[in-house]
Amino acid sequence: MDGNATTRHKNVALLSVTSELAQRVTTSDELDRRLQPVLKRLKLPKGLLQRVAGVMERRNWSDGQTFEAAAIAAGKRALDEAGIRPDQIGLLINTSITRRNLEPSVAVHLHDGLGLGSAALNFDIANACLGFVNGMNLAASLIDAGQVDYALVVDGEDFDDVQTNTVDRLLNGDIARRDFMSEFASLTLGSGAAAAVLGRADRHPEGHRIIGGITRSASQYNDLCVGTVNGMFTDAAGLLKHGMELVVHAWRDAAKDWNWSHMDRYVMHQVSDIHTADFVKSAGIDRDLVPLTYPTLGNVGSASIPITLAQEAKTLSKGDRVLLMGVGSGINTAMTELAW
């Protein structure tokens, strides 16, 4: 295939991956209680979030917590675990969907908070829930090209306002059943942060090699999921149908160059039971090899994959093959192989 849809990295390793979880837990039962008036009026049953999405709870920031501070904390811990000083970082990429303002970038606040050197390039990459994987691949390419020795990819998400605004709007007496379902996905969102340090594999034999992977796009479906600070509005059936079509197409197309049918772990973007089950069935993989965090953390946007990988890292052994798999609104998908 023409373009840059397939990438192979030569000398890049993941040196650390960390997560920072929000402290306040919001259960789906609690949201059911808050939404009881509208559920009753629309004749919708309680427990939709649990039964349809498989989300039992999600995290929200407590008073005094911010997504920027959490991202900085995750970044500092990632540096410590990798044994890399802040002044050694040549590139910082922030991949957060969340931002408080259009400019300056979130990255400049993280750069300052992390105490990185003035020569460290820093910027944001925004690509819905796929941003962190895109950021890792771009950082890996720049390391392979000799532009930087070490890169830090960071993400902090705060969907608390989206959740609050969605609940308030759904309680409005004018909301119809169709409107409720178009905002259902907003109720699955959770907040959190993550970070990863990448470096040259030949300098860090203890690291986890980033082998490469593929990307694919079906941008004609760019209007199926549109998120703002006020809420996320989704054509759930259309997004599931066309998103899975793209992912399955990418999976089958990748078989020409990659052998991903027998990985030791499949770390997927965390969306719901339905999305996970559909892909597992279509790809013919063992569901026991797909770790899940959405039941207790919800969909944490671009931080979802690194948070899941960070939690799964302690169960991985040297030599294990890991596939990072994401799909983001738009629609885009990416799959990246790691050799643990």
Side-chain angles (χ1 to χ4, degrees), residues 280-291:
V280 166
K281 180 179 179 181
S282 298
I285 61 177
D286 184 350
R287 182 157 183 164
D288 289 341
L289 300 178
V290 182

Side-chain angles (χ1 to χ4, degrees), residues 53 113 225 252 282 284:
C225 181
R252 292 173 178 169
S282 298

Side-chain angles (χ1 to χ4, degrees), residues 26-39 49-50 55-58 60 163-164 167 171 180 186-189:
T26 301
T27 67
S28 293
D29 286 339
E30 179 182 340
L31 289 180
D32 272 345
R33 289 192 293 270
R34 291 165 62 186
L35 291 168
Q36 180 57 27
V38 68
L39 292 173
L49 284 162
Q50 299 92 320
V55 176
M56 307 303 170
E57 58 189 40
R58 74 285 294 134
N60 300 100
Q163 187 180 103
T164 298
V167 170
L171 288 171
F180 185 97
S186 298
L187 302 175
T188 70
L189 299 175

Side-chain angles (χ1 to χ4, degrees), residues 43-115:
K43 296 181 173 57
L44 290 168
K46 293 189 295 184
L48 285 174
L49 284 162
Q50 299 92 320
R51 292 197 304 273
V52 176
V55 176
M56 307 303 170
E57 58 189 40
R58 74 285 294 134
R59 301 294 187 96
N60 300 100
W61 300 117
S62 299
D63 291 342
Q65 285 188 302
T66 67
F67 77 92
E68 297 103 331
I72 290 168
K76 287 182 176 179
R77 195 143 38 82
L79 289 170
D80 287 343
E81 291 188 10
I84 302 301
R85 302 186 311 273
D87 62 359
Q88 292 179 278
I89 296 295
L91 170 67
L92 168 71
I93 301 177
N94 166 67
T95 67
S96 306
I97 298 170
T98 304
R99 59 184 57 251
R100 297 194 187 279
N101 36 257
L102 293 176
E103 61 175 326
S105 68
V106 177
V108 296
H109 296 288
L110 306 186
H111 183 283
D112 178 52
L114 288 162

Side-chain angles (χ1 to χ4, degrees), residues 7 63 125 141 147 178 198 279 289 292 304 308 311 317:
T7 304
D63 291 342
I125 284 182
S141 295
Q147 295 297 303
R178 181 181 61 184
L198 282 65
F279 180 76
L289 300 178
L292 304 180
S304 171
T308 306
Q311 294 197 7
S317 302

Side-chain angles (χ1 to χ4, degrees), residues 1-258:
M1 178 174 287
D2 293 335
N4 298 298
T6 299
T7 304
R8 290 187 181 273
H9 299 297
K10 300 176 182 178
N11 188 31
V12 186
L14 175 69
L15 305 186
S16 64
V17 57
T18 62
S19 64
E20 191 77 12
L21 301 182
Q23 295 177 0
R24 181 163 55 90
V25 175
T26 301
T27 67
S28 293
D29 286 339
E30 179 182 340
L31 289 180
D32 272 345
R33 289 192 293 270
R34 291 165 62 186
L35 291 168
Q36 180 57 27
V38 68
L39 292 173
K40 182 178 180 180
R41 183 176 63 81
L42 296 177
K43 296 181 173 57
L44 290 168
K46 293 189 295 184
L48 285 174
L49 284 162
Q50 299 92 320
R51 292 197 304 273
V52 176
V55 176
M56 307 303 170
E57 58 189 40
R58 74 285 294 134
R59 301 294 187 96
N60 300 100
W61 300 117
S62 299
D63 291 342
Q65 285 188 302
T66 67
F67 77 92
E68 297 103 331
I72 290 168
K76 287 182 176 179
R77 195 143 38 82
L79 289 170
D80 287 343
E81 291 188 10
I84 302 301
R85 302 186 311 273
D87 62 359
Q88 292 179 278
I89 296 295
L91 170 67
L92 168 71
I93 301 177
N94 166 67
T95 67
S96 306
I97 298 170
T98 304
R99 59 184 57 251
R100 297 194 187 279
N101 36 257
L102 293 176
E103 61 175 326
S105 68
V106 177
V108 296
H109 296 288
L110 306 186
H111 183 283
D112 178 52
L114 288 162
L116 304 186
S118 64
L121 181 64
N122 64 92
F123 52 80
D124 294 347
I125 284 182
N127 195 17
C129 296
L130 205 57
F132 202 94
V133 176
N134 291 153
M136 286 181 61
N137 283 321
L138 176 58
S141 295
L142 290 174
I143 291 171
D144 264 338
Q147 295 297 303
V148 296
D149 291 328
Y150 297 102
L152 178 60
V153 183
V154 185
D155 189 284
E157 303 295 0
D158 183 351
F159 295 121
D160 295 7
D161 285 345
V162 173
Q163 187 180 103
T164 298
N165 293 337
T166 297
V167 170
D168 289 346
R169 186 167 44 255
L170 291 177
L171 288 171
N172 186 303
D174 296 332
I175 291 293
R177 181 183 286 229
R178 181 181 61 184
D179 300 321
F180 185 97
M181 296 312 299
S182 76
E183 299 199 53
F184 181 77
S186 298
L187 302 175
T188 70
L189 299 175
S191 298
V197 174
L198 282 65
R200 298 187 185 283
D202 56 5
R203 297 183 185 178
H204 294 276
E206 78 284 1
H208 316 296
R209 288 289 299 269
I210 300 178
I211 307 300
I214 67 165
T215 61
R216 293 292 186 272
S217 177
S219 59
Q220 66 269 33
Y221 302 116
N222 61 77
D223 60 349
L224 294 181
C225 181
V226 179
T228 72
V229 70
N230 292 316
M232 188 166 70
F233 306 89
T234 304
D235 174 352
L239 188 62
L240 176 62
K241 178 179 184 294
H242 297 299
M244 288 308 304
E245 285 174 350
L246 177 63
V247 172
V248 171
H249 168 75
W251 175 264
R252 292 173 178 169
D253 203 31
K256 304 171 187 175
D257 301 299
W258 306 89

